[in-house]
Amino acid sequence: MSGVPEETFNDQITIQAIDQSGQDATLSLQLNIVEKPLTLILPPAVSVAVGEFLFFPLFCEGGFPEYRWQLLEGSTQGFQLLDTGILLGDPISPMHTLVKVQVSDQMGEVQSGAIPIHVLDEELMITIESLPVAQYLKPYRSELTGKGGMLPYR
């Protein structure tokens, strides 16, 4: 069997073979044609402040929707993941952790990965209130200050 699929497909097909004597055999098999393989798209990291409710949608593409999401055992750290891919949490203390997630599609394809989550004491704030006056065509430098978030600042 060969060819170039021109559309997605997810169904049973029947294959028939006939030999020189006229004897035949048939077999039904599942054929799945996807536009793209299932791919998990994770953020580089998620930051949330202590006491701030985390509501963070996760994404994937390809495969055959409907997708099913789950947290992998041992990685919950006070977070939960809805079947729809929404990561929820209400952290009560600062921490840095990896939350491991898994997504599967209707064909049983599975992808998993880890999301670094940073729970911060305070949200990042710039604390400088004003900038000193600069002089035209003269070198200028002013120290900027901040608090909260995760050091080092850039």
Side-chain angles (χ1 to χ4, degrees), residues 2-73:
S2 65
V4 178
E6 295 181 357
E7 60 185 59
T8 60
F9 183 82
N10 182 18
D11 208 348
Q12 292 279 323
I13 63 168
T14 301
I15 300 169
Q16 181 180 27
I18 302 172
D19 70 9
Q20 291 296 321
S21 70
Q23 195 175 178
D24 72 333
T26 59
L27 178 65
S28 287
L29 294 173
Q30 180 73 26
L31 177 60
N32 302 310
I33 302 169
V34 296
E35 192 172 320
K36 295 167 101 175
L38 180 63
T39 304
L40 184 57
I41 303 167
L42 294 178
V46 174
S47 296
V48 62
V50 169
E52 182 180 306
F53 188 73
L54 176 69
F55 181 95
F56 192 86
L58 301 178
F59 297 97
C60 66
E61 63 183 10
F64 266 103
E66 299 275 321
Y67 304 116
R68 184 171 183 280
W69 295 85
Q70 66 184 65
L71 282 177
L72 295 178
E73 191 174 321

Side-chain angles (χ1 to χ4, degrees), residues 11 24 47 97-98 101 113 144:
D11 208 348
D24 72 333
S47 296
T97 188
L98 280 177
V101 299
L144 303 175

Side-chain angles (χ1 to χ4, degrees), residues 47-142:
S47 296
V48 62
V50 169
E52 182 180 306
F53 188 73
L54 176 69
F55 181 95
F56 192 86
L58 301 178
F59 297 97
C60 66
E61 63 183 10
F64 266 103
E66 299 275 321
Y67 304 116
R68 184 171 183 280
W69 295 85
Q70 66 184 65
L71 282 177
L72 295 178
E73 191 174 321
S75 71
T76 59
Q77 299 284 335
F79 297 96
Q80 66 180 26
L81 183 61
L82 303 179
D83 282 349
T84 56
I86 305 293
L87 183 63
L88 303 174
D90 196 7
I92 58 172
S93 61
M95 73 170 119
H96 302 287
T97 188
L98 280 177
V99 173
K100 297 174 186 153
V101 299
Q102 178 175 291
V103 63
S104 57
D105 70 3
Q106 291 300 310
M107 296 185 322
E109 295 298 313
V110 175
Q111 290 287 310
S112 59
I115 306 164
I117 297 186
H118 307 292
V119 179
L120 312 170
D121 261 339
E122 299 179 82
E123 286 191 51
L124 176 61
M125 293 177 56
I126 299 170
T127 57
I128 190 168
E129 293 182 17
S130 63
L131 294 171
V133 175
Q135 196 172 10
Y136 179 71
L137 293 177
K138 298 278 185 173
Y140 178 82
R141 183 176 178 92
S142 177

